Amino acid sequence: MYGMSGPYVVRGSVSLPEAELMWRFSRSSGPGGQHVNTSDSQVELRFDLASTAALPEVWKQRALERLASRLVDGVLTVRSSEHRSQWRNRETAAVRLAALLAEATAPPPKPRTPTRIPRGINERRLREKKQRSETKRGRTGRGWT
């Protein structure tokens, strides 16, 4: 069997420890022809987010909050069955999990500071609006006899 491509980096120096990843394999309905019927190529990767020590506490709380709809008893599950080989499905699942956690632990965006519309621009808009309405009013058939 090939070696896995190492620690899966979430963000910065934080990565997922191999010991906390739980793997489960089953028969896939994906590509593979008759080979599919005999090999366990589908991968299910589980990561106990609620009790992990790999993530900083702030990140963990953020992730638990944002991924609440995907968690079952604090455990995050990712499935992969796109590839014919179990090894490539393992890679895909692990990368997907790391990406999910990276997105969920990202700091919230800075609040937008509202800016004022300059007076000149507002006046020009109103002037153009008035001009347009005059043009349209001139198109009515009133006064034609």
Side-chain angles (χ1 to χ4, degrees), residues 1 7 13 18 45 59 63 88 95 116-117 119 134:
M1 176 92 181
S13 62
E18 193 66 47
L45 174 58
W59 287 19
R88 283 179 67 194
V95 167
R116 281 193 49 185
I117 299 170
R119 199 169 91 214
E134 288 296 322

Side-chain angles (χ1 to χ4, degrees), residues 79-132:
R79 265 197 199 88
S80 175
S81 61
E82 293 96 67
H83 305 290
R84 289 177 62 158
S85 77
Q86 185 190 95
W87 183 75
R88 283 179 67 194
N89 280 331
R90 282 179 68 137
E91 285 289 302
T92 306
V95 167
R96 204 179 292 159
L97 177 72
L100 249 175
L101 287 173
E103 195 178 316
T105 58
K110 287 190 179 117
R112 180 187 169 278
T113 52
T115 54
R116 281 193 49 185
I117 299 170
R119 199 169 91 214
I121 291 176
N122 211 20
E123 285 173 356
R124 187 179 71 200
R125 181 182 64 85
L126 293 172
R127 200 170 46 246
E128 286 171 0
K129 228 174 137 161
K130 191 162 278 186
Q131 222 171 3
R132 185 91 180 127

Side-chain angles (χ1 to χ4, degrees), residues 15-85:
S15 59
L16 298 173
E18 193 66 47
E20 291 190 24
L21 301 178
M22 295 166 279
W23 301 92
R24 210 169 88 201
F25 310 102
S26 58
R27 296 209 173 123
S28 172
S29 61
Q34 292 173 339
H35 174 68
V36 155
N37 303 330
T38 58
S39 64
D40 292 344
S41 60
Q42 178 174 294
V43 172
E44 185 179 282
L45 174 58
R46 297 163 55 96
F47 180 67
D48 195 346
L49 187 58
S51 64
T52 186
L55 299 175
E57 199 56 42
V58 180
W59 287 19
K60 196 196 307 189
Q61 290 309 316
R62 216 181 276 157
L64 285 168
E65 211 172 277
R66 291 180 183 168
L67 296 172
S69 61
R70 285 195 64 151
L71 298 176
V72 177
D73 298 329
V75 177
L76 181 62
T77 306
V78 175
R79 265 197 199 88
S80 175
S81 61
E82 293 96 67
H83 305 290
R84 289 177 62 158
S85 77

